[in-house]
Amino acid sequence: MNQPLILQCPAKLNLTLEVLSRKSNGMHEISSHFQLIDLFDQVTIQKTDNQFSSVKTNALVNIDNENNIAFKAIEALSKLMNRDISCDIFIEKNIPMGGGLGGGSSNAAAVLIGINTLFALKLNIDELMRIGSKIGADVPFFIFGRTALAKGIGDKLEETKCESKKFLVIAPNIHSSTKDMFLKWDSLNEQMMLRSIPKNENSFLRIFLEQKPEVREIYEELSEITPLRLSGTGSTFFCTYNEEVEIEKTLKKIPTKWRHFFCEPLQCSPLLKYIK
């Protein structure tokens, strides 16, 4: 019987995120510092004799099969290799969805890497990154698998040292649509309504807080205790710390319906051990 391949795929934080411009094809030029953290989804991939592949998760919303970016990864590899690749995939979600932590992109990267290993496709990292870029803007980064400075649409990556401090990651459990947030940025940019954004402030912070007044109130209260940063296009915030005593006041103010995680920075992804 075929043994399943079990992969741990990490989340990321945007330590910085600046939108520079909108390209003619609708994509956006960005500058960002991508930081890997030890918050993981688990992806299990197993070959199947069935004619069709399946993608299932433990999520409460329907992101199975065609609704999952990981399914696009299977289709992309099948098309590239001109062969039917049939496998069953189960994704145990732990990374908050729609939180700007890259969980879906990390899952897709894990599927590309896992299938490449399981089916002995012998694709190298550059080939996998090119395939990943057609699936999602952040997928190449998770295949690259190292904390990095990102340019272009997030596909021009340069490894850099990771943060030395720990992270308190705060998730309001609100889905923030990346597409909608970029459309809002485009609209405000065209109307010349984007005020000067301080250096190192996420380009989406003010837009997100204006869109989510129920989050803004708590964000402002927490920010009086410790500086918070937004990851991606939201909705997850984070701060750094050395010892837990530094964030005791912040922990007491986090709403009970929100999630929070104590995370360590990662220089490299555990997925890299499957790429030769």
Side-chain angles (χ1 to χ4, degrees), residues 246-262:
E246 299 173 35
I247 53 171
E248 284 182 352
K249 291 182 180 180
T250 302
L251 291 172
K252 292 177 181 178
K253 293 289 186 178
I254 299 173
T256 55
K257 63 180 180 180
W258 289 16
R259 297 170 70 190
H260 66 274
F261 308 88
F262 302 100

Side-chain angles (χ1 to χ4, degrees), residues 22 26 28 177-191 204 207 211 233:
R22 181 178 184 271
H28 293 79
S177 167
T178 297
K179 179 181 179 181
D180 290 347
M181 292 296 283
F182 271 104
L183 287 173
K184 186 65 176 178
W185 186 93
D186 289 338
S187 174
L188 293 174
N189 188 52
E190 289 169 4
Q191 298 174 53
F204 293 100
I207 299 173
Q211 297 285 309
T233 57

Side-chain angles (χ1 to χ4, degrees), residues 116-117 122-126 128 271-276:
N116 186 51
T117 300
K122 299 182 179 179
L123 298 170
N124 62 38
I125 189 168
D126 291 331
L128 289 170
L271 294 174
L272 283 182
K273 68 181 178 181
Y274 296 99
I275 304 178
K276 296 182 180 179

Side-chain angles (χ1 to χ4, degrees), residues 21-65:
S21 64
R22 181 178 184 271
K23 296 164 67 73
S24 58
N25 64 2
M27 301 295 286
H28 293 79
E29 292 272 351
I30 68 162
S31 175
S32 186
H33 184 169
F34 288 142
Q35 172 65 63
L36 294 167
I37 56 174
D38 65 344
L39 176 61
F40 302 99
D41 285 344
Q42 180 171 285
V43 175
T44 301
I45 309 172
Q46 186 163 22
K47 290 183 179 179
T48 178
D49 293 328
N50 296 332
Q51 185 178 358
F52 301 104
S53 295
S54 70
V55 176
K56 295 182 179 180
T57 79
N58 65 335
L60 297 178
V61 296
N62 181 18
I63 54 169
D64 291 349
N65 297 322

Side-chain angles (χ1 to χ4, degrees), residues 2 8 11 28 40 64 70 81 83-84 86 95 100 119 136 145 148 184 190 192 206 264 267:
N2 294 319
Q8 302 296 321
H28 293 79
F40 302 99
D64 291 349
M81 306 305 296
R83 58 180 280 195
D84 290 330
S86 298
I95 302 170
F119 288 81
K184 186 65 176 178
E190 289 169 4
M192 304 295 287
R206 299 181 189 185
E264 299 271 358
Q267 182 66 44

Side-chain angles (χ1 to χ4, degrees), residues 7-253:
L7 306 170
Q8 302 296 321
C9 43
K12 60 84 179 163
L13 295 173
N14 295 91
L15 300 189
T16 62
L17 175 56
E18 181 182 4
V19 183
L20 303 176
S21 64
R22 181 178 184 271
K23 296 164 67 73
S24 58
N25 64 2
M27 301 295 286
H28 293 79
E29 292 272 351
I30 68 162
S31 175
S32 186
H33 184 169
F34 288 142
Q35 172 65 63
L36 294 167
I37 56 174
D38 65 344
L39 176 61
F40 302 99
D41 285 344
Q42 180 171 285
V43 175
T44 301
I45 309 172
Q46 186 163 22
K47 290 183 179 179
T48 178
D49 293 328
N50 296 332
Q51 185 178 358
F52 301 104
S53 295
S54 70
V55 176
K56 295 182 179 180
T57 79
N58 65 335
L60 297 178
V61 296
N62 181 18
I63 54 169
D64 291 349
N65 297 322
E66 290 87 350
N67 295 322
N68 199 300
I69 189 175
F71 199 86
K72 295 180 181 179
I74 304 172
E75 293 179 324
L77 286 176
S78 295
K79 183 178 180 180
L80 177 72
M81 306 305 296
N82 196 28
R83 58 180 280 195
D84 290 330
I85 294 175
S86 298
C87 56
D88 291 328
I89 294 174
F90 181 76
I91 304 173
E92 184 176 334
K93 296 294 297 178
N94 187 46
I95 302 170
M97 295 190 298
L101 300 177
S105 295
S106 188
N107 297 162
V111 169
L112 289 174
I113 292 168
I115 290 177
N116 186 51
T117 300
L118 205 57
F119 288 81
L121 302 183
K122 299 182 179 179
L123 298 170
N124 62 38
I125 189 168
D126 291 331
E127 291 170 315
L128 289 170
M129 287 176 66
R130 280 197 294 273
I131 299 165
S133 67
K134 298 175 183 178
I135 299 172
D138 287 348
V139 178
F141 163 69
F142 286 105
I143 297 171
F144 182 74
R146 301 172 183 88
T147 285
L149 299 177
K151 300 287 186 180
I153 60 170
D155 57 338
K156 298 176 182 177
L157 301 161
E158 177 185 350
E159 184 175 4
T160 190
K161 290 183 179 180
C162 70
E163 170 68 57
S164 59
K165 294 183 178 182
K166 303 172 187 177
F167 295 101
L168 171 62
V169 178
I170 304 170
N173 288 329
I174 292 175
H175 187 282
S176 180
S177 167
T178 297
K179 179 181 179 181
D180 290 347
M181 292 296 283
F182 271 104
L183 287 173
K184 186 65 176 178
W185 186 93
D186 289 338
S187 174
L188 293 174
N189 188 52
E190 289 169 4
Q191 298 174 53
M192 304 295 287
M193 291 181 64
L194 286 177
R195 299 184 298 276
S196 177
I197 297 175
K199 185 176 176 59
N200 293 331
E201 180 179 296
N202 186 317
S203 290
F204 293 100
L205 176 61
R206 299 181 189 185
I207 299 173
F208 175 76
L209 293 176
E210 288 173 2
Q211 297 285 309
K212 307 290 183 182
E214 71 279 16
V215 175
R216 183 178 65 227
E217 182 179 350
I218 298 169
Y219 165 83
E220 290 173 348
E221 185 176 354
L222 292 174
S223 293
E224 291 179 0
I225 304 170
T226 188
L228 292 181
R229 284 179 275 176
L230 182 73
S231 185
T233 57
S235 58
T236 301
F237 299 99
F238 64 94
C239 64
T240 59
Y241 69 98
N242 287 309
E243 302 297 334
E244 196 165 319
V245 65
E246 299 173 35
I247 53 171
E248 284 182 352
K249 291 182 180 180
T250 302
L251 291 172
K252 292 177 181 178
K253 293 289 186 178

